[in-house]
Amino acid sequence: MKTFYDLEHLPPPRKNGSKEAPEITEIKGFLACGQRNICFEYDDDHQARNRLKVVQRFRSGNGLQDVFRCWRVEKCVYVLRTKKVKS
């Protein structure tokens, strides 16, 4: 095994090969346009609960807490814009 310290150039980290969730893609488009709210409807409550967690993780990970709100009612996830995003 070889060990190296203080390298000049590090390779960029690899993604796990995972794709962006379709909800995140939709929310990015939603934030770019002028719509006020969006609703995602799922087959059951359990799936909606899991997908809400994805949206919440995106919201907090990108510092968008003051830009939109998200919540779940039964099998629907709702997203409401609260402030315009600066492009």
Side-chain angles (χ1 to χ4, degrees):
M1 177 173 95
K2 296 181 183 179
T3 306
F4 303 97
Y5 295 97
D6 296 328
L7 299 174
E8 291 281 326
H9 301 282
L10 297 175
R14 276 198 238 172
K15 289 190 174 184
N16 294 339
S18 60
K19 294 182 180 178
E20 183 173 79
E23 292 87 357
I24 302 307
T25 305
E26 288 290 327
I27 289 175
K28 286 180 178 179
F30 162 72
L31 293 175
C33 71
Q35 304 297 326
R36 293 183 39 113
N37 56 55
I38 189 170
C39 172
F40 301 106
E41 185 176 353
Y42 300 96
D43 294 333
D44 58 13
D45 293 353
H46 182 70
Q47 187 179 11
R49 187 178 304 118
N50 288 340
R51 302 318 289 173
L52 175 63
K53 290 177 187 176
V54 170
V55 173
Q56 289 172 330
R57 195 172 325 126
F58 170 74
R59 180 177 172 245
S60 63
N62 291 294
L64 299 172
Q65 291 90 342
D66 58 338
V67 176
F68 70 90
R69 292 179 50 217
C70 54
W71 67 94
R72 179 184 70 87
V73 176
E74 295 177 2
K75 59 183 187 175
C76 292
V77 172
Y78 298 95
V79 178
L80 173 69
R81 179 194 313 266
T82 56
K83 184 167 86 172
K84 290 256 184 194
V85 178
K86 296 178 183 176
S87 299

